[in-house]
DNA sequence: TTACATATT
DNA sequence: AATAT
DNA sequence: GTAA
């Protein structure tokens, strides 16, 4: 699956693999592809693969990918922040095979272009960011961050989202959604920036990868700006966090500030998983004629926004039963 | 045959 | 193109 | 690759 992502065209298998992974939550012995015909998303090609695995103990296509040196290098390069499939392929095609190759490549690039590429820092951070974060450390981070937020402005609620909320023992990063109940979002504009600055001053945030520019203040077309409903996009910061002291590791930290009236859609949107969000959007569009994303739910025909007051209500409005975060884990 | 999630930078 | 879920 |  990862191979297809790196080489392009991952849409083919991703949904099928997701359904297979769903089943790992309910393990059972499968003696033949006949026993999985009832699973959605699986067809003739996957049945053949399952039977091939049962017969040979492996799958030729998977073996080819694992043994491919190119696959190994592309996978490795993709673990660097800012390098995706396309750049990884280009770097490989230009002859790079190791991180040392990339250091040389970007040193040379910066010498020629006379400006920083940002990639040397990404290379330095890579080893730290590749390490998974135990739940206890996620909680430690959130406590420290909330303490700083509280010193700027009291009254914020927060939910830890991402893989942590889906119950994973280890997280790749930390995602926190904030909001102040009942407060006009205009009043809290700039809080994301303020918190990031405070954490930088405290030496806890070491890098800011992205700070969403809250430029989308009022689109010139929003005639209903009198209504206090913030249609604006969420204030988001993608950062790197590190505690003081020995033995501490850089961690990716995402801070999201949502207007109170879209707090719970933001929580659903940032809880994931990726595949769950995709399916939720498809369901909303096809079955309910609605558009779902983390900054709100809208009716497609009149773009009228539907506000909800709890996470349960997000599912009610979409005509779905409650789905526990731990049941949203399917990812290819 | 077509769609496959969607937003921001 | 890369990031986020 | 799968489903509508
Ligand atoms: Mg996460
Ligand atoms: Mg994140």
């Amino acid at each position: 699956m990862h191979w297809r992502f790196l080489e392009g065209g991952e849409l083919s298998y991703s949904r099928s693999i997701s359904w297979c992974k769903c089943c790992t939550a309910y393990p059972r012995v499968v003696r033949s592809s006949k026993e999985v015909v009832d699973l959605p998303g699986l067809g003739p090609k996957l049945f053949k693969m399952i039977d091939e695995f049962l017969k040979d103990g492996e799958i030729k296509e998977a073996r080819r990918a694992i043994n491919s040196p190119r696959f190994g290098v592309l996978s490795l390069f993709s673990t660097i922040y800012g390098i995706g499939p396309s750049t990884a392929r280009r770097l490989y095609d230009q002859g790079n095979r190791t991180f040392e190759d990339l250091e040389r490549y970007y040193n040379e690039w910066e010498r020629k272009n006379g400006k920083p590429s940002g990639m040397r820092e990404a290379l330095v951070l890579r080893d730290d960011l590749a390490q998974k974060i135990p739940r206890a450390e996620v909680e430690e981070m959130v406590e420290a961050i909330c303490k700083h937020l509280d010193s700027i402005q009291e009254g914020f609620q927060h939910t830890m989202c991402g893989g942590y909320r889906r119950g994973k023992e280890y997280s790749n990063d930390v995602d926190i959604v904030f909001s102040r109940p009942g407060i006009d979002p205009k009043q809290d504009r700039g809080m994301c920036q303020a918190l990031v600055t405070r954490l930088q001053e405290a030496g806890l945030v070491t890098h800011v990868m992205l700070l969403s520019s809250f430029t989308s203040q009022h689109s010139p077309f929003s005639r209903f700006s009198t209504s206090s409903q913030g249609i604006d996009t969420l204030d988001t910061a993608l950062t790197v966090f590190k505690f003081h002291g020995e033995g501490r590791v850089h961690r990716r930290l995402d801070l999201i500030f949502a207007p109170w009236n879209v707090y719970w859609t933001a929580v659903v949107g940032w809880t994931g998983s990726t595949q769950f969000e995709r399916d939720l959007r498809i369901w909303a569009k096809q079955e309910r004629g609605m558009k779902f994303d983390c900054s709100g739910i809208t009716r497609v025909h009149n773009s009228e926004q539907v506000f909800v007051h709890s996470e349960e209500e997000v599912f009610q409005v979409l005509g779905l039963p409650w789905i526990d975060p731990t049941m949203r884990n399917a990812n290819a």
Side-chain angles (χ1 to χ4, degrees):
Chain A
M1 185 55 227
H2 192 49
W3 176 77
R4 279 177 189 265
F5 176 71
L6 291 170
E7 295 290 18
E10 102 285 9
L11 262 183
S12 45
Y13 281 105
S14 75
R15 189 167 302 269
S16 306
I17 305 293
S18 285
W19 279 106
C20 292
K21 286 214 178 172
C22 277
C23 297
T24 62
Y26 303 95
R28 59 182 164 129
V29 176
V30 177
R31 296 169 196 291
S32 147
S33 61
K34 302 285 193 301
E35 296 182 33
V36 294
V37 285
D38 52 327
L39 286 180
L42 301 205
K45 195 71 182 285
L46 266 292
F47 296 155
K48 273 186 190 162
M49 283 182 161
I50 289 165
D51 287 330
E52 180 187 355
F53 181 81
L54 290 169
K55 176 170 164 288
D56 304 337
E58 64 174 30
I59 295 164
K60 287 192 297 296
E61 189 178 340
R63 173 66 58 193
R64 258 199 309 282
I66 291 167
N67 288 340
S68 157
R70 179 180 164 96
F71 171 77
V73 173
L74 295 187
S75 298
L76 192 69
F77 287 180
S78 298
T79 64
I80 297 161
Y81 192 91
I83 297 184
S86 175
T87 308
R89 288 194 295 267
R90 179 174 57 75
L91 292 168
Y92 183 92
D93 293 340
Q94 288 168 340
N96 298 291
R97 296 293 181 272
T98 67
F99 289 147
E100 291 71 46
D101 290 339
L102 293 188
E103 275 177 44
R104 280 188 289 275
Y105 176 90
Y106 284 111
N107 282 338
E108 177 66 9
W109 188 96
E110 295 191 356
R111 194 187 59 72
K112 274 197 312 207
N113 299 61
K115 59 178 178 186
S117 67
M119 277 304 155
R120 282 195 305 138
E121 199 56 25
L123 278 163
V124 170
L125 289 171
R126 187 269 167 196
D127 282 347
D128 274 7
L129 298 186
Q131 297 186 48
K132 304 271 202 175
I133 316 169
R135 294 183 71 82
E137 190 178 337
V138 175
E139 288 151 19
E140 193 185 0
M141 285 171 63
V142 172
E143 192 185 338
I145 291 156
C146 287
K147 202 183 69 188
H148 280 278
L149 176 58
D150 213 46
S151 73
I152 301 171
Q153 171 66 62
E154 295 186 344
F156 274 94
Q157 246 184 50
H158 72 271
T159 304
M160 305 178 223
C161 296
Y164 175 90
R165 187 150 185 268
R166 301 198 306 275
K168 304 199 103 74
E169 281 305 317
Y170 293 91
S171 301
N172 295 310
D173 65 5
V174 177
D175 309 288
I176 317 173
V177 176
F178 296 94
S179 191
R180 205 145 62 101
I183 299 295
D184 183 337
K186 285 193 194 76
Q187 223 175 313
D188 286 328
R189 201 184 331 136
M191 279 308 302
C192 189
Q193 163 99 64
L195 177 58
V196 168
T197 303
R198 173 64 59 94
L199 292 169
Q200 278 180 303
E201 286 164 0
L204 292 173
V205 161
T206 58
H207 301 72
V208 179
M209 309 310 218
L210 181 148
L211 194 62
S212 80
S213 49
F214 43 103
T215 56
S216 56
Q217 198 45 227
H218 296 289
S219 133
F221 305 105
S222 81
R223 294 168 286 126
F224 307 108
S225 52
T226 52
S227 125
S228 66
Q229 321 290 40
I231 316 294
D232 300 354
T233 177
L234 309 181
D235 245 339
T236 304
L238 311 185
T239 73
V240 175
F241 179 103
K242 185 158 106 51
F243 277 116
H244 298 289
E246 289 299 304
R248 293 299 196 161
V249 176
H250 290 90
R251 306 300 197 183
R252 278 278 293 103
L253 167 69
D254 294 337
L255 304 170
I256 300 91
F257 281 79
W260 178 240
N261 59 18
V262 296
Y263 180 69
W264 291 110
T265 56
V267 167
V268 171
W270 277 85
T271 296
S273 66
T274 300
Q275 187 58 52
F276 181 81
E277 300 300 327
R278 289 175 165 189
D279 288 339
L280 206 55
R281 286 150 140 88
I282 291 176
W283 173 272
K285 184 157 71 173
Q286 295 186 345
E287 310 294 332
R288 307 295 290 188
M290 292 172 154
K291 182 170 86 71
F292 172 87
D293 71 59
C294 56
S295 59
I297 303 170
T298 55
R299 300 190 192 285
V300 167
H301 66 277
N302 59 5
S303 300
E304 174 189 331
Q305 198 159 10
V306 181
F307 294 107
V308 297
H309 312 87
S310 68
E311 187 173 22
E312 291 77 10
E313 206 183 333
V314 172
F315 289 92
Q316 280 171 25
V317 162
L318 295 177
L320 289 168
W322 167 252
I323 303 170
D324 191 82
T326 57
M327 292 292 102
R328 307 176 197 173
N329 262 313
N331 252 349

